[in-house]
Amino acid sequence: MGFVMSNISKLLRLNSVTNIRECSRAKIYQDIQDEVFCPPVKDGVSSFWIENEVHACNEAVIAGLTDEEMREFVRELVRSRISKNDLKSKYLQTKINDNPLHPAPNVLRGE
C-alpha cells in the first residue's frame, strides 16, 4: 500500500484561477487582501491555488455569504490545510505500515 491522501486537489496557477472566477488578477489579489478569497500556497517563488478552495469560494459567493461570513469561511479553509507536520506524520506512518519487517504498532506496545 502506497502513500495516499484523501481529498487531493489540483494546484492551479493564477491564469487558471482568473478563468474559473472570471475576474482580473487585480480583483483576485484585492479579494485576498480583503480576506474574502483564499490565499495561494507557495512553492519557492511560485504561487499556486488549491482547486477545491477556489471552487468552494465561488460556491460561497453564489450562496450569498456576506463579506464577514466569507472572511470566516476563508479562515476555515486555510486552517483546514494539511500542515507539514501532519503530512510528515502521515507519510512516516504509511512507510512504517508498508514495511513488512516492521512490527505492527500493537506489537511494539506489548498488546
Side-chain angles (χ1 to χ4, degrees), residues 15-60:
N15 286 340
S16 297
V17 177
T18 58
N19 288 336
I20 291 169
R21 292 200 71 212
E22 296 187 4
C23 65
S24 69
R25 298 161 62 105
K27 172 69 171 148
I28 289 171
Y29 282 112
Q30 183 62 52
D31 286 350
I32 292 168
Q33 185 175 352
D34 294 341
E35 300 178 336
V36 294
F37 188 65
C38 51
V41 292
K42 297 287 190 176
D43 181 19
V45 295
S46 300
S47 294
F48 298 95
W49 281 261
I50 301 170
E51 182 181 41
N52 290 349
E53 292 181 1
V54 172
H55 289 295
C57 285
N58 282 351
E59 290 173 13

Side-chain angles (χ1 to χ4, degrees), residues 54-71:
V54 172
H55 289 295
C57 285
N58 282 351
E59 290 173 13
V61 169
I62 292 166
L65 269 62
T66 66
D67 282 353
E68 192 51 45
E69 291 169 328
M70 279 299 294
R71 284 188 210 35

